[in-house]
Amino acid sequence: MIILVFSKPIIAQLQKNIVLSLKLNNIHLYRLSSALLWYSEGRGIKEIAALIGVCSKTVFNWIKSFMCKGFAWLNGLHYQGRGRKEKITQKQRELLYDLIVKGPEANGFSCGIWNSAMVNELIWRKFGVRYNLNYLPTLLKKIGLTYQKAKFVTDRKDEENHEASREKWINETFPAILAQAKKDNSVILFGDEVSFAMWGSLSRTWAPIGQQPTLKTKGIRKGLKMFGAIELQGGGFQYLQSLAYSLKPKSFRMLKEAGLPTELLEAIKHFKNRKYSTENSFMAALEEVVNVDLIVQYQPLLLKHSETSGKFNGESYIDFLKQLLNNYEGKIILIEDGAPYHGSKVVTAFKKANSGRLTVERLPAFSPDYNPIEKLWKNTKRDATHLKYFKTFECLYASVIDTFESYMNDARKIICVMKKLREDSGITA
């Protein structure tokens, strides 16, 4: 049996290592130094292995390495914390942070999006070091970067003026709107438009590992376009579908099956595939060539089978403004964004003609975050279209309308998207 005897200086150094390992919270160094000290005290390898919680062979290898390499081997374990030494220094990390913030194009890449391979190439160019691609996200998080979705901002040169207009809205314009509404007992509405695609919408969800969730789609590029407005004070909700009217071949087949007289079918063939932006313009065109009484008699059928998805334009927006005026008594303050048709000639004329009851305020440019109805649209897509298959346009319509009706039946779903705004405005529940 071989007995290893340590001199007093070696024992003293091992004891210092134990103290150092406790200071550095280096458990591995503590176990190694303790094992060597216990062995020098005459304890057996099996006993030491049981005390430390490792196998006897591991303890034997430690003793063997110490006998061959001495403190040169043990001193290599004197490091702060665990893990291997970083490949780039702290200053290099700070420089890497600045380079990534500047964007890929500023660093000679043609792509506008950073990925791990590009970051690895950048590190190689600047510091002559390569990382495992799987480790790079961890490194980027350590230096204060996260993987985020970008957002649009204005490219205007007068950025300071843009920010000033946003600040003015918060500190002056909106408080003035609140004061005016209180004085005139006006209803404050936030209006906007939204489109829902028939092919549905994608979202993240839980699924088995390695099995990406799939969603069936018809691939039909048809959308449901809606105007909407929410009431700041009471949580009311109004919506109107943007419709157009066109007699397609399918329309004639459906009208025939529904029992439309042959003489009327023949008379309206002249309007095949023509599109009209409003109900009034469609009916007026039919009345020019068809007996008015006959048109009135079958108007519901004609409208039902000629309806199609419309566009956001001045005419359809006026229909929505009329609905708001009909559904609210007294004065209305409507807050809208800067969509071009909001300021078209026909819309401007309508607003002027109804200025006694309707006051319109324009949000600052590029400020959707100031319009709480944007959050409602996000919630609607989450509940009505995310990861849902729509076999027909009618299925999409039904899903969206069901969600809209839930808003009208429960004002809390509207109020929740305006919670902070209501609190800041002094509006109680």
Side-chain angles (χ1 to χ4, degrees):
M1 178 179 177
I2 299 175
I3 300 176
L4 184 64
V5 179
F6 291 162
S7 64
K8 290 183 178 180
I10 292 177
I11 293 175
Q13 185 60 48
L14 289 173
Q15 291 172 341
K16 287 181 180 180
N17 282 350
I18 291 176
V19 174
L20 180 62
S21 66
L22 293 173
K23 182 180 178 181
L24 298 177
N25 195 28
N26 190 333
I27 298 175
H28 189 49
L29 179 61
Y30 175 82
R31 295 166 74 189
L32 283 168
S33 300
S34 298
L36 291 171
L37 278 174
W38 290 335
Y39 188 73
S40 70
E41 294 171 358
R43 297 192 183 192
I45 290 179
K46 290 184 178 180
E47 180 184 359
I48 296 171
L51 288 171
I52 296 178
V54 297
C55 66
S56 299
K57 186 175 181 180
T58 299
V59 176
F60 177 79
N61 288 336
W62 288 350
I63 297 171
K64 180 180 177 182
S65 296
F66 185 69
M67 290 175 64
C68 297
K69 303 175 183 178
F71 280 105
W73 166 71
L74 200 58
N75 288 341
L77 303 174
H78 290 192
Y79 52 82
Q80 177 71 36
R82 303 295 299 275
R84 67 175 61 180
K85 185 178 179 181
E86 292 291 348
K87 293 183 178 181
I88 59 176
T89 65
Q90 182 60 36
K91 287 186 176 180
Q92 289 173 328
R93 287 186 176 197
E94 294 172 0
L95 176 58
L96 177 62
Y97 176 93
D98 293 337
L99 292 172
I100 292 177
V101 168
K102 289 178 181 178
E105 292 179 296
N107 288 280
F109 297 96
S110 59
C111 180
I113 302 172
W114 283 115
N115 58 41
S116 296
M118 292 164 61
V119 173
N120 206 15
E121 178 66 21
L122 178 66
I123 295 173
W124 172 253
R125 290 181 190 175
K126 298 296 180 180
F127 313 121
V129 172
R130 289 197 184 277
Y131 280 95
N132 185 299
L133 293 180
N134 293 328
Y135 171 73
L136 275 177
T138 302
L139 173 65
L140 297 180
K141 287 181 180 179
K142 285 182 178 180
I143 66 176
L145 299 170
T146 57
Y147 197 68
Q148 305 176 51
K149 184 177 180 179
K151 66 176 182 179
F152 288 112
V153 295
T154 176
D155 66 345
R156 295 177 178 177
K157 295 180 180 179
D158 56 342
E159 182 66 24
E160 292 184 4
N161 292 337
H162 172 64
E163 290 301 325
S165 67
R166 284 171 55 86
E167 187 174 345
K168 182 180 179 181
W169 171 267
I170 293 296
N171 298 326
E172 300 179 24
T173 307
F174 190 63
I177 292 173
L178 292 171
Q180 189 65 40
K182 185 175 182 180
K183 178 182 177 182
D184 298 338
N185 196 27
S186 301
V187 174
I188 298 176
L189 301 176
F190 286 90
D192 194 34
E193 303 79 27
V194 63
S195 295
F196 302 96
M198 185 175 165
W199 57 86
S201 52
L202 300 177
S203 178
R204 294 178 180 271
T205 188
W206 290 103
I209 295 175
Q211 298 181 31
Q212 184 179 15
T214 59
L215 174 65
K216 287 195 286 186
T217 176
K218 295 290 287 187
I220 299 176
R221 300 189 66 83
K222 186 176 182 181
L224 174 63
K225 295 179 172 59
M226 289 285 191
F227 293 100
I230 56 176
E231 179 190 342
L232 178 64
Q233 295 96 326
F237 176 61
Q238 292 290 322
Y239 67 89
L240 177 69
Q241 182 183 359
S242 177
L243 291 170
Y245 298 86
S246 179
L247 290 168
K248 303 287 186 181
K250 180 181 178 181
S251 304
F252 285 97
R253 186 174 68 254
M254 300 297 290
L255 287 169
K256 184 177 181 180
E257 292 175 359
L260 200 72
T262 304
E263 58 179 301
L264 184 52
L265 281 171
E266 290 295 328
I268 63 176
K269 280 186 177 180
H270 174 70
F271 300 97
K272 186 177 180 180
N273 291 326
R274 293 187 182 182
K275 195 168 185 178
Y276 298 87
S277 60
T278 64
E279 176 184 328
N280 290 336
S281 62
F282 175 60
M283 298 308 297
L286 294 180
E287 290 172 2
E288 289 181 1
V289 296
V290 183
N291 182 275
V292 175
D293 293 335
L294 199 59
I295 291 295
V296 172
Q297 181 182 352
Y298 292 100
Q299 180 175 340
L301 271 179
L302 289 167
L303 292 177
K304 177 181 178 181
H305 296 296
S306 62
E307 283 184 356
T308 184
S309 182
K311 296 180 178 180
F312 294 132
N313 52 38
E315 290 78 10
S316 56
Y317 190 52
I318 288 175
D319 287 340
F320 181 57
L321 295 179
K322 289 179 179 178
Q323 177 175 313
L324 296 180
L325 290 169
N326 290 334
N327 280 276
Y328 288 98
E329 296 180 358
K331 296 183 177 181
I332 296 174
I333 299 177
L334 175 63
I335 299 173
E336 63 183 17
D337 60 20
Y341 56 86
H342 288 172
S344 63
K345 289 184 179 180
V346 291
V347 174
T348 301
F350 180 85
K351 292 175 180 177
K352 186 176 181 180
N354 293 274
S355 59
R357 287 191 57 208
L358 179 64
T359 300
V360 179
E361 295 287 347
R362 186 66 58 85
L363 285 165
F366 297 96
S367 300
D369 51 319
Y370 288 172
N371 194 344
I373 198 173
E374 295 282 359
K375 298 178 183 178
L376 190 71
W377 298 149
K378 183 178 180 180
N379 292 348
T380 303
K381 291 182 178 181
R382 177 198 64 199
D383 297 338
T385 66
H386 279 351
L387 301 184
K388 289 188 176 183
Y389 167 62
F390 302 111
K391 188 174 183 179
T392 64
F393 183 78
E394 288 71 26
C395 293
L396 168 65
Y397 179 83
S399 182
V400 172
I401 294 301
D402 284 346
T403 304
F404 279 178
E405 291 298 323
S406 73
Y407 298 156
M408 301 184 78
N409 294 327
D410 188 354
R412 292 174 300 176
K413 294 182 179 181
I414 304 294
I415 291 174
C416 72
V417 302
M418 302 184 289
K419 184 177 180 180
K420 186 176 187 306
L421 181 63
R422 285 164 56 88
E423 290 175 354
D424 295 342
S425 303
I427 299 174
T428 57

